[in-house]
Amino acid sequence: MVSLASSKGSRAGIASVVVSLLTLLVGGCGGGSGGGGDGMTIAYQPGIGYAQLLIIKQEGWLEEDLPEAEIVWEQLSSGSAIRDGMLAGDIQVGSGGVGPFLVGYSAGVDWKLLSALNEMDLWLMVVDEQIQDLGDFGDGSIAMPAPDSIQAVVLRRGAEEQLGDAKALDDNIVSLAHPDGLQALLSGQISGHLTSPPFQFQEQDEGARPILKSFDLFGPHTFNSVFVRQGYHDDNPEAMEALYSNIQEATELIESDPAGAAEVLSEESGGETSAEEFRRFMTEEGVAYTTQPNGFIEFAEFMQQIGLIDEVPASQEELVFDNLKEGG
């Protein structure tokens, strides 16, 4: 069984996230290189939103390009966990959704985007036929990775449009990793799951259906990206160039040979998911792989409007390293 008891109270959770960030920054974490020495820990999360990183990991490309460096791959359950690891200096390269990145950036974390990974339509999935829109949840739980995740921002935009109050469903939010949320939805422990590919497709295969889609609210947008703190980026130009080059190569593989990319991903999963399934998930409507970021300012403007961040970047260029400004 998935425990939901400790996940309630998202309003307090949002405040504590920002407070903890500011505490860490005031404590001297801001402006640092993020540690690492000759090592590089790369953190990612479950799902095909990290397909390029999983291909690089499975094929050992970075180890080939950086033979003197110790490359460590770490899967975590949420972007906020990755952010905290980067602030602590335990993680040098993070990847995750727009929400946690912008919360950190607004709070003064000295990081920027090295690369986008994709654009993906994120769905709020339900099983109960009585739930037709956001007004039907009552006190039913809605799972997502964290109360400042991109999914949480999507839910609040939907609540604003449908219910007239962006925070109307804040008390419904529970924090669950995507795989746990899938199990909880299909077993009836929760009423909704605002998730991502492939979990929303797997849920749909089992009879769930979407009642809210992020592309309908924000238009096509970046889902996941790769970000690095300024100091570590500047101190390790060879590693940063190699990583971005590998992300580009993996993106090109997915675009030009989805069957081959799917085979690699199936191998990386230990055969848990077949190559045929990976290929279907990666070629579904609303799934595209690209290194160019899109939609950060639109998300930031809404996040400022609802009090999740204080500052909206002047432009998307303010958020990226030079490799993306040059069109990479």
Side-chain angles (χ1 to χ4, degrees):
M1 294 283 284
V2 176
S3 174
L4 307 179
S6 63
S7 300
K8 287 285 191 180
S10 61
R11 287 175 183 159
I14 293 169
S16 66
V17 165
V18 176
V19 168
S20 65
L21 275 170
L22 293 174
T23 300
L24 283 166
L25 289 167
V26 170
C29 291
S33 68
D38 293 328
M40 179 164 60
T41 295
I42 302 170
Y44 60 98
Q45 300 168 65
I48 61 168
Y50 304 90
Q52 294 102 315
L53 298 181
L54 296 174
I55 289 170
I56 295 167
K57 173 177 177 278
Q58 175 65 21
E59 298 294 272
W61 290 348
L62 266 182
E63 287 81 356
E64 291 177 12
D65 291 344
L66 303 168
E68 302 301 317
E70 180 186 1
I71 310 298
V72 177
W73 298 87
E74 185 171 356
Q75 179 177 291
L76 297 176
S77 62
S78 70
S80 54
I82 289 174
R83 178 186 57 215
D84 292 345
M86 293 181 73
L87 287 171
D90 298 327
I91 296 168
Q92 287 71 53
V93 177
S95 57
V98 172
F101 173 83
L102 286 172
V103 169
Y105 190 87
S106 174
V109 180
D110 58 332
W111 59 22
K112 292 182 181 178
L113 304 174
L114 182 74
S115 181
L117 294 175
N118 47 59
E119 294 180 359
M120 291 189 179
D121 195 8
L122 310 178
W123 299 352
L124 172 56
M125 304 298 292
V126 300
V127 174
D128 188 344
E129 290 294 335
Q130 295 185 354
I131 301 177
Q132 297 294 322
D133 58 37
L134 297 184
D136 295 331
F137 276 100
D139 61 358
S141 297
I142 302 172
M144 58 195 64
D148 67 339
S149 62
I150 185 173
Q151 285 86 359
V153 179
V154 170
L155 181 66
R156 291 182 178 103
R157 170 61 74 87
E160 181 183 70
E161 292 197 0
Q162 291 188 25
L163 307 177
D165 177 6
K167 299 181 179 180
L169 296 173
D170 274 13
D171 289 338
N172 298 72
I173 294 173
V174 296
S175 298
L176 289 176
H178 291 305
D180 294 334
L182 181 152
Q183 294 176 11
L185 180 71
L186 298 181
S187 65
Q189 295 182 64
I190 57 175
S191 299
H193 185 205
L194 216 167
T195 184
S196 66
F199 308 102
Q200 60 201 33
F201 304 140
Q202 293 170 320
E203 291 168 353
Q204 190 172 48
D205 291 344
E206 296 296 324
R209 70 189 195 285
I211 63 165
L212 190 73
K213 295 185 176 183
S214 64
F215 279 12
D216 292 339
L217 299 170
F218 287 98
H221 60 80
T222 294
F223 171 36
N224 294 321
S225 58
V226 173
F227 37 90
V228 184
R229 297 185 69 184
Q230 186 78 51
Y232 185 82
H233 175 275
D234 294 349
D235 290 344
N236 297 274
E238 181 184 359
M240 296 298 93
E241 183 178 350
L243 177 57
Y244 182 58
S245 176
N246 285 335
I247 293 171
Q248 288 180 301
E249 185 175 349
T251 303
E252 291 165 6
L253 175 64
I254 294 169
E255 292 175 342
S256 64
D257 185 10
E263 288 284 356
V264 175
L265 292 171
S266 182
E267 292 172 10
E268 197 280 331
S269 77
E272 191 172 306
T273 303
S274 70
E276 292 76 15
E277 287 179 299
F278 270 119
R279 182 174 183 177
R280 174 168 72 90
F281 296 149
M282 292 192 297
T283 55
E284 284 274 8
E285 184 177 355
V287 175
Y289 291 90
T290 175
T291 60
Q292 289 301 308
N294 178 34
F296 278 79
I297 301 304
E298 289 81 359
F299 270 90
E301 289 172 345
F302 178 69
M303 289 170 70
Q304 182 192 50
Q305 175 189 324
I306 63 174
L308 196 53
I309 64 174
D310 293 328
E311 299 293 333
V312 175
S315 70
Q316 193 162 267
E317 278 208 342
E318 184 179 310
L319 301 175
V320 305
F321 289 114
D322 288 344
N323 59 296
L324 293 182
K325 292 180 182 177
E326 295 160 3

